[in-house]
Amino acid sequence: MSLLDAPGATVVTAESAAPPRQGRRGRYLPYYLAISPFFLIFGVFWLYPLGYSFFVALQRWDGIGPMHFVGLENFRFLATDATFWHSILNTLLIWVMSVVPMTVLAMLIAIGLNSTIRFTGLYRIAYFVPNVTSTVAMSLVFASIFSGQFGILNWVLGLFGVDPVPWLTNPWGIRTAIAVMIIWRWVGYNAIIFLAGLQAIPDEVHEAARIDGAGPVQTFFRVTLPLLRPVLLFSVLMSAISGMQVFAESQVLVGNRGGPEEAGLTMVLYFYNQAFYYNDFGYGAAIAWGIFLVVVIFAILNWRLIQRPERRRAGEVAP
Amino acid sequence: MTLTRRTFLAASAAAIGAAALATSGCASPATASPGRLTLWYATRGLSEAVLRDAVARFPAARLDPAAVGDGLKHRLLAVMSGGAYLPDMTMLGDDVASYFPDADQFVDLNTLGAARLAGQYLPWKWQSGITSDGVMIGFPIDIGPSALYYRHDLFAKAGFPSEPDDVARAVPTWDDYFRFGQELQRALPGHYLITDTKTVFTYSMAQLPVKYFDRQNRYLPDQSHVREAWDRALRAFRLGLTAGYAGSQDPGTSVDRHAAWNTGKELSFVNASWVTGELKESAPGTAGAWRVCRTPGGAGNQGGSYLAIMRACPRPQAAFEVISWMLSPENQPRTYLDAGLFPSSPAAFADPRLLEPEPFFGGQVTMDVFARSASEVKPAYFSPWDINISDAFTDELSNVELAGKDPDLAWTDARTAVERLLQRKGVI
Amino acid sequence: MIWTRRGRVITYLAMTAGAVILLFPYYWLTVMASNTTADIYAYPPRLTFGGHFLANIGQVFARIDFFGSLLNTVVVAVATTLLVLLFDSLAAFTFAKYRFPGSSVLFGLLLATFVVPTQLAAIPQFAIMADLGWVGSLKALVIPAAANAFGIFWMRQYCQSALPDELLEAARMDGCGFLRTYWNIAVPVLRPALAFLGIFTFVNSWNDYLWPLVVLIDSHHVTLQVALAQLNGLYVKDYSVVMAGTLVAIVPLIVVFLFGARHFIRNITAGALKG
């Protein structure tokens, strides 16, 4: 059960789930009370920044002095800003370059974790630990690993006769290095999620496949993987949302402006750049809204990808 | 802004029905520690020893120095925007000019009697903390006079001039330096004499009396001097003299540069004086091998900080006393020895402690070179947008250097980016 | 799952190799923390430990208030995690399983939190804190973080798949009110998700840097990440000391994680196996 089920299960209506309370209005009272702590805090601390962000996007403001109202000027600039579109492309590229290897590796690791009985606790901890440390703290470590002429990675590659790879001075090297940092951080986390999914599959299913004569690889692709689909897609969706907001990895590896060809300039880094480095809060706020739009569109696309196959599957054999 | 915010807060609180929050409407303090004078500075941007002495020397001021790591600016922006918990005194970096449009947030140091101290400091540095309206925001802390750092031992090994005076004589201009570099590379292949194109551009611009704007904050129509610096940087690249660790200030690529110092791959480089600390820290094995001499093309300045007093400070005169004492010519030598911050007061250059032979530089007295460089810097006007503009150019230079971009396209893109930026800021 | 002996051996080897590669950055971190700054830039790279570990750590303790800021960080992280788990699960459960007027609108409002990047939000939030008088106080770190929209999305998703209507229906039949249903029925089922969200929140709170930097005005009462950043000099960064500081800051987090991990992972798999 749990993670394996399709998202979007039915919702219990108030009539069937809640006992009738004093009168009509009173019926919903527990629900409002339940969500009120969250929304109270949200209203006080997040609603104002939201309005502020919108308000500032309509101004020309350096963050210190007075504001000048400029209407939708900042948004007009944004639409024609090649760097912004470039940053969207970078973010998407880096995301694809990180999510694909990460998912594959996480799946492999999950299978490994599922198959190893000895040391399994140690393995799980070891794989999860990278998720626990902050990116900024590990920045110099990764910088010295990826350094072009004197880094460890190139030194190791050199032992195998490979020429030094310009990780941090070549646009694709930069994207790869950032993607590797992201993979490093999240592969264990996702492996644990996949592991839970794997362990929820009853042994009978695999037994049945084995009896039918399916080899391990066939079993995996024909039986296991389809059963893991909800978990997989959930993981991809979560990584999509956080992938759109990549900031620290880029900033620590290639600095505030994304390096050569601005290859590492992600959307959030560009926003940060404009607002805090170029003292242009108005434009920065407009960029933030642009990012939001991109994230929403991307999330909706992702969601559609999850929903449609599931609706199709609903008509097929239930797990 | 305060009124709107309070109204908004009250409205949202009321809407959700939390009356409790509305009662905490006490006025927030204007300064960070009422009753004390808080001083925000970047770690190692001031001498700890001098700060300690200042605390002891001015007990009535109740000085509270607070070191802030990276992000001082972020916090400063937050408090300035919120109008509360402002520091009484704060350090400003070499982006001091970006605060000029908002000079009213700071106390004009001239009103506190700064003018009578002007003669004790380098005129161009003093001037750089003053807006075009004559309001003095920043009191000079340190400067970054440029010099040519080079490996004495490797120059000598290759049979080239290696004494500082000889080297300076051999490379009076950038073109001479390039020629020198080419010959040296033939003798010692695989070594570099220029860190990257960004260095050439930055220090070439630093040597000029004019930057991007005139004193009335008008964008200069004639940017040919910028073009010259640009072309020079590209020439260095085309001649193969640059090492190509672009953005060598960023952690991602400084590893390369530091390692190059250690292995001797970087034979020489032009830099401001503050790199000495970095050099000593990351390449102690090369101690004794380095020398400095005059920058090719003339003296320039890069970097340097200021101390400012914020408008919210209730005792600006007391604050000024503290600042002027800490940054006085008498204290600057100690600051230099303690934290490597180059003095901005010429009197400090003559302090005997600073004229000791330095083992790291093989017994050379580097103060001779740097002091001369400092006094030769041509005063120039820095606009609030200078850093943004020079970034646009250096970014495109590194695109050419590292990403193989077409130089003409890069130049056009840089100009376009600058123009769009200034349009958006309402400057042109 | 792997049936052959050879397959088993390969699996163990691969898993160990993978773990070693993944943990290498920590080894390198320790190496850097035990050497001098200059050694970091040696080539070929120095891969072995040096003798400066204690000296560097001593520097860290001398230059910043390590234990004070550690305590602050622990307090903030624990408080934030508890609040988030409580508020988010309560709200997510309600959104997932119950319909009430305005629920969709309110849920959609949560999307709004994605609009404002944290760096931008820090500015107006500081102003709010100034009005509330919370500047410099740990409250300013804990309370706003308790409204974690991502957590609600996560938990709502989990609630929908893990809590079948029949279960809630049965509870209602037994006379359970809303709160009792939540506490006695939903929470035990949600334990794995709570464990995940808990770790996620705890780690994020522990590693949060920018907002604590902005709002904890008093340099003597800050959290660990802010205190460590004070080691970064303006012109010169004493990297070996910074690395030592980073290492020492990671250790408590890993210890907490080690203790919680067994519990956490047991819960994950237990929850997964449950009916």
Side-chain angles (χ1 to χ4, degrees):
Chain A
M1 240 253 166
S2 64
L3 291 170
L4 282 192
D5 286 343
T10 59
V11 165
V12 178
T13 59
E15 279 77 28
S16 59
R21 290 285 192 118
Q22 330 82 294
R24 283 194 69 230
R25 220 172 294 158
R27 193 206 325 246
Y28 299 120
L29 190 61
Y31 310 144
Y32 288 119
L33 282 179
I35 65 173
S36 63
F38 180 92
F39 276 96
L40 184 63
I41 295 178
F42 180 78
V44 172
F45 295 106
W46 294 96
L47 224 46
Y48 174 60
L50 183 66
Y52 173 91
S53 166
F54 184 67
F55 181 68
V56 167
L58 302 174
Q59 316 286 331
R60 182 195 304 144
W61 188 43
D62 64 353
I64 308 171
M67 298 190 192
H68 300 277
F69 181 76
V70 289
L72 295 175
E73 187 71 25
N74 287 326
F75 291 99
R76 229 171 297 152
F77 252 98
L78 193 62
T80 57
D81 188 350
T83 314
F84 177 61
W85 295 102
H86 189 59
S87 74
I88 297 178
L89 182 65
N90 283 334
T91 312
L92 288 172
L93 279 172
I94 291 174
W95 179 70
V96 171
M97 286 168 74
S98 59
V99 80
V100 172
M102 187 205 64
T103 309
V104 171
L105 284 172
M107 187 58 81
L108 287 173
I109 293 171
I111 295 174
L113 287 175
N114 203 23
S115 316
T116 54
I117 315 219
R118 254 183 284 177
F119 313 126
T120 193
L122 272 174
Y123 280 135
R124 291 172 199 197
I125 291 171
Y127 279 96
F128 197 84
V129 160
N131 191 254
V132 155
T133 49
S134 83
T135 314
V136 175
M138 299 305 286
S139 63
L140 183 68
V141 181
F142 278 96
S144 68
I145 289 175
F146 281 112
S147 164
Q149 293 172 25
F150 302 94
I152 296 177
L153 189 54
N154 277 343
W155 179 70
V156 168
L157 288 173
L159 296 175
F160 291 99
V162 178
D163 280 332
V165 178
W167 297 109
L168 297 176
T169 47
N170 173 281
W172 284 104
I174 290 172
R175 295 191 185 108
T176 309
I178 297 174
V180 167
M181 274 186 82
I182 297 174
I183 295 172
W184 176 80
R185 200 170 154 66
W186 292 100
V187 73
Y189 184 88
N190 282 289
I192 304 274
I193 292 183
F194 291 162
L195 177 67
L198 274 176
Q199 293 190 330
I201 300 177
D203 287 331
E204 296 85 57
V205 176
H206 291 119
E207 267 303 306
R210 200 165 71 89
I211 289 172
D212 282 350
V217 174
Q218 244 184 335
T219 316
F220 177 71
F221 281 104
R222 293 282 178 83
V223 179
T224 320
L225 206 52
L227 287 173
L228 286 178
R229 198 194 181 90
V231 185
L232 241 141
L233 291 173
F234 170 76
S235 156
V236 169
L237 180 63
M238 287 295 119
S239 103
I241 293 183
S242 69
M244 292 297 103
Q245 298 174 326
V246 166
F247 167 71
E249 286 88 350
S250 281
Q251 193 193 36
V252 303
L253 273 187
V254 285
N256 271 324
R257 294 191 308 287
E261 238 184 60
E262 291 149 345
L265 190 72
T266 59
M267 296 189 291
V268 178
L269 186 58
Y270 185 52
F271 145 75
Y272 183 83
N273 195 357
Q274 291 297 312
F276 293 97
Y277 197 68
Y278 281 62
N279 296 325
D280 200 340
F281 270 65
Y283 194 51
I287 296 175
W289 281 91
I291 296 175
F292 173 64
L293 211 59
V294 172
V295 172
V296 163
I297 293 175
F298 194 63
I300 291 178
L301 282 174
N302 251 295
W303 186 251
R304 286 273 173 78
L305 273 164
I306 297 176
Q307 291 284 59
R308 225 181 306 127
E310 289 314 317
R311 258 186 244 125
R312 244 187 306 131
R313 285 204 145 270
E316 295 172 23
V317 175
Chain B
M1 194 92 176
T2 311
L3 186 60
T4 321
R5 191 170 63 242
R6 283 183 189 274
T7 316
F8 194 97
L9 251 187
S12 59
I16 305 177
L21 285 168
T23 57
S24 63
C26 49
S28 34
T31 59
S33 292
R36 311 192 61 179
L37 288 180
T38 41
L39 166 62
W40 288 356
Y41 66 100
T43 316
R44 291 228 224 161
L46 289 172
S47 158
E48 296 289 332
V50 171
L51 276 169
R52 267 196 303 271
D53 286 352
V55 174
R57 188 190 171 92
F58 296 97
R62 300 190 65 213
L63 189 61
D64 182 16
V68 187
D70 311 315
L72 171 59
K73 183 170 179 185
H74 214 117
R75 191 197 279 183
L76 195 59
L77 288 174
V79 298
M80 285 174 88
S81 179
Y85 296 93
L86 293 145
D88 297 282
M89 295 166 273
T90 181
M91 191 170 125
L92 298 176
D94 66 345
D95 61 345
V96 64
S98 62
Y99 294 93
F100 283 177
D102 311 299
D104 55 354
Q105 301 265 358
F106 302 88
V107 174
D108 181 358
L109 299 178
N110 280 321
T111 63
L112 299 171
R116 60 182 166 79
L117 298 171
Q120 296 175 354
Y121 297 86
L122 291 164
W124 56 264
K125 173 71 183 184
W126 187 265
Q127 200 57 39
S128 61
I130 302 180
T131 72
S132 40
D133 296 326
V135 175
M136 182 172 182
I137 297 181
F139 198 103
I141 302 179
D142 65 326
I143 61 174
S146 67
L148 176 67
Y149 290 73
Y150 68 93
R151 287 287 297 266
H152 167 267
D153 56 334
L154 296 173
F155 275 26
K157 194 172 89 164
F160 282 72
S162 57
E163 290 307 312
D165 291 332
D166 296 331
V167 176
R169 240 195 314 272
V171 293
T173 68
W174 282 100
D175 287 334
D176 294 317
Y177 185 56
F178 291 169
R179 234 185 328 260
F180 188 87
Q182 281 181 289
E183 283 167 24
L184 196 53
Q185 275 193 326
R186 270 192 284 270
L188 292 173
H191 292 71
Y192 297 100
L193 287 98
I194 297 177
T195 313
D196 51 30
T197 48
K198 177 179 170 179
T199 322
V200 178
F201 182 83
T202 307
Y203 286 95
S204 293
M205 288 300 295
Q207 292 163 340
L208 298 173
V210 164
K211 307 274 187 263
Y212 305 99
F213 281 73
D214 66 15
R215 285 193 184 274
Q216 283 72 45
N217 273 340
R218 283 194 299 258
Y219 190 51
L220 292 170
D222 174 20
Q223 297 277 314
S224 56
H225 52 292
V226 179
R227 181 77 210 220
E228 227 179 277
W230 169 278
D231 287 335
R232 189 180 292 152
L234 280 185
R235 235 189 107 221
F237 170 62
R238 287 202 194 95
L239 294 175
L241 296 166
T242 60
Y245 335 118
S248 40
Q249 288 296 307
D250 298 324
T253 39
S254 64
V255 178
D256 268 357
R257 193 179 184 207
H258 294 162
W261 287 341
N262 268 300
T263 59
K265 214 160 176 199
E266 191 156 314
L267 290 175
S268 63
F269 55 93
V270 172
N271 215 124
S273 57
W274 38 255
V275 81
T276 305
E278 217 178 311
L279 190 56
K280 286 184 184 168
E281 188 95 34
S282 27
T286 57
W290 296 91
R291 303 283 189 278
V292 293
C293 74
R294 197 178 155 277
T295 325
N301 178 76
Q302 183 64 22
S305 316
Y306 308 77
L307 270 183
I309 301 179
M310 309 236 42
R311 174 72 64 184
C313 175
R315 293 180 283 151
Q317 198 63 52
F320 184 72
E321 260 180 61
V322 173
I323 288 182
S324 49
W325 180 82
M326 280 200 314
L327 305 175
S328 65
E330 292 76 42
N331 272 322
Q332 289 206 348
R334 204 149 55 108
T335 304
Y336 179 58
L337 291 168
D338 194 21
L341 302 169
F342 199 87
S344 48
S345 168
F349 301 162
D351 190 296
R353 285 171 292 177
L354 271 49
L355 297 173
E356 298 280 323
E358 292 172 59
F360 192 83
F361 291 95
Q364 185 187 11
V365 178
T366 60
M367 182 53 71
D368 289 336
V369 174
F370 286 119
R372 191 159 157 225
S373 183
S375 47
E376 283 174 5
V377 171
K378 302 192 182 80
Y381 177 67
F382 283 84
S383 76
W385 310 279
D386 270 22
I387 295 182
N388 303 353
I389 296 175
S390 58
D391 277 348
F393 286 109
T394 53
D395 281 350
E396 288 297 339
L397 277 174
S398 63
N399 284 344
V400 176
E401 190 177 354
L402 299 172
K405 187 168 181 178
D406 170 58
D408 293 318
L409 184 60
W411 172 255
T412 319
D413 283 352
R415 290 296 301 266
T416 314
V418 168
E419 264 145 45
R420 277 177 62 95
L421 172 77
L422 294 177
Q423 267 166 21
R424 214 173 59 228
K425 296 217 167 200
V427 177
I428 54 173
Chain C
M1 233 179 93
I2 309 282
W3 298 301
T4 67
R5 167 174 227 105
R6 197 181 64 168
R8 227 189 278 276
V9 168
I10 293 179
T11 308
Y12 274 101
L13 279 175
M15 290 299 286
T16 312
V20 165
I21 292 176
L22 218 58
L23 292 180
F24 175 74
Y26 296 106
Y27 173 74
W28 185 230
L29 176 66
T30 316
V31 167
M32 285 202 275
S34 67
N35 284 322
T36 61
T37 304
D39 292 325
I40 295 175
Y41 302 113
Y43 191 79
R46 269 193 72 151
L47 286 174
T48 52
F49 296 108
H52 295 262
F53 193 67
L54 289 175
N56 285 336
I57 295 206
Q59 284 279 311
V60 174
F61 289 151
R63 290 195 212 169
I64 61 174
D65 177 16
F66 183 80
F67 291 103
S69 57
L70 177 63
L71 184 62
N72 287 336
T73 305
V74 170
V75 167
V76 169
V78 169
T80 306
T81 307
L82 289 175
L83 282 184
V84 165
L85 288 181
L86 181 62
F87 293 171
D88 275 20
S89 63
L90 204 49
F93 171 65
T94 313
F95 276 124
K97 286 298 175 186
Y98 301 92
R99 277 244 189 281
F100 49 94
S103 61
S104 336
V105 171
L106 284 171
F107 189 73
L109 202 55
L110 292 178
L111 282 176
T113 50
F114 287 113
V115 179
V116 194
T118 38
Q119 302 92 341
L120 183 61
I123 312 281
Q125 280 177 342
F126 182 84
I128 296 173
M129 291 306 170
D131 280 347
L132 290 172
W134 287 5
V135 172
S137 142
L138 297 180
K139 279 200 292 280
L141 299 181
V142 173
I143 308 290
N148 182 347
F150 170 75
I152 290 199
F153 284 130
W154 210 123
M155 300 256 7
R156 176 175 176 270
Q157 169 73 4
Y158 195 83
C159 285
Q160 281 181 334
S161 46
L163 290 171
D165 301 341
E166 300 82 49
L167 193 62
L168 297 178
E169 193 52 35
R172 193 180 72 82
M173 299 292 204
D174 285 346
C176 281
F178 173 79
L179 260 181
R180 201 184 289 255
T181 313
Y182 164 75
W183 189 254
N184 291 2
I185 310 293
V187 168
V189 173
L190 294 176
R191 245 211 301 265
L194 286 172
F196 250 116
L197 187 60
I199 292 235
F200 186 79
T201 310
F202 190 85
V203 168
N204 276 349
S205 174
W206 189 278
N207 291 328
D208 197 11
Y209 169 68
L210 191 68
W211 175 237
L213 173 82
V214 167
V215 83
L216 295 180
I217 289 282
D218 186 355
S219 280
H220 307 293
H221 295 110
V222 293
T223 58
L224 199 50
Q225 300 295 335
V226 178
L228 286 175
Q230 287 170 4
L231 292 171
N232 286 334
L234 181 55
Y235 293 126
V236 185
K237 296 197 192 325
D238 198 349
Y239 277 126
S240 57
V241 175
V242 171
M243 288 295 107
T246 307
L247 188 63
V248 188
I250 288 178
V251 167
L253 195 55
I254 293 190
V255 165
V256 164
F257 174 68
L258 281 176
F259 273 115
R262 247 171 276 140
H263 181 73
F264 157 68
I265 290 171
R266 204 187 313 133
N267 264 312
I268 293 285
T269 51
L273 284 171
K274 208 202 284 204

